[in-house]
Amino acid sequence: MTEKSHDSGSMKPVDLSDEQVYWDLGESKSYGQYLQLDKILSAQQPNSYEHDEMLFIVIHQASELWMKLCLHELTGALDHIRRDDLGPSFKMLSRVARIQAQLTQSWDVLATMTPAEYSAFRNQLGRASGFQSYQYRMLEFIIGNKNADMVEVHKRDPQAYEALTRTLRSPSLYDESLRLLSRRGFEIPQEYLDRDWSQPYQPSKQVTAAWLAVYHSIDDHWDLYELAEKLVDLDMKFQLWRFSHMKTVERIIGYKRGTGGTGGVSYLAKALELRFFPELWTVRTSM
């Protein structure tokens, strides 16, 4: 590393003589070994000689790493909500919201790719598509968007198929939040506390009334109010991510069909209509 001299404008090495640098690591792992960078940095294997395919691969690989961290945090938050220990879940949910901002920002980088640049290697993808992202589907299932049909595309990966099926059939983040409301004395219909968790969630006026009671007595139910706001933030950030994805796809391929067989932009537009926590949005109109 060098520093610029203010007098001459020349560059000279930074003086490290008073720094206790470990030049010899001994038995300790190095930075690269700890992070297993040999595996990570060798995982970019373009199928073409096109310059921009590297951008496409890195953006999607980095997104999968961020999603892995989202799953780690959401699984922890769900466990704390299940145990009525909301404090730690707030930090985890806040962290997920920050990660979602990074994911949304990544579409801006991908959007620097022009239609001509993407077309130059698109055929090399075959039927590979983000629609097949195991982690993205797991995120939706954990948060609460259940759709059993979505598991079928993962049949060729038994481990992923089993994990997704298990999560599909388990209570989601929102299901556990409603069970918590019930334990706190709010009137949640029994059919929302013990149901077929693999089925899509259906909004309920009684659930809306329960959340409305929380918002009308914030001082008495501060932690539930905080939970509600963290969930709304999660839902909103997810929508922004979806919207940025849709507009980036529209910018690069227009209304062509996606490589995974979906309608592309038309499919992504449908996803924008989904709400993970519908009653928490209804409450805003009711107040």
Side-chain angles (χ1 to χ4, degrees), residues 246 264-274:
M246 181 190 72
V265 170
S266 62
Y267 165 73
L268 295 172
K270 292 177 186 177
L272 287 176
E273 300 172 5
L274 299 173

Side-chain angles (χ1 to χ4, degrees), residues 134 138 151 154 157-165:
Y134 151 73
M138 184 68 80
V151 180
H154 299 280
D157 183 345
Q159 188 174 357
Y161 186 83
E162 180 183 354
L164 281 170
T165 299

Side-chain angles (χ1 to χ4, degrees), residues 12-73:
K12 63 179 182 179
V14 171
D15 182 9
L16 297 175
S17 61
D18 60 345
E19 302 292 338
Q20 298 181 5
V21 177
Y22 293 120
W23 301 110
D24 183 355
L25 301 183
E27 298 298 319
S28 173
K29 286 183 177 180
S30 70
Y31 173 81
Q33 289 170 326
Y34 173 70
L35 295 178
Q36 299 191 60
L37 292 182
D38 56 336
K39 296 179 181 178
I40 294 174
L41 298 180
S42 63
Q44 296 73 46
Q45 302 291 332
N47 289 329
S48 73
Y49 292 103
E50 297 297 331
H51 176 83
D52 295 280
E53 190 178 358
M54 181 62 77
L55 166 64
F56 188 83
I57 291 173
V58 169
I59 286 292
H60 286 85
Q61 287 182 340
S63 294
E64 290 292 334
L65 284 173
W66 281 125
M67 283 191 277
K68 182 172 184 176
L69 185 54
C70 279
L71 288 169
H72 176 70
E73 299 296 336

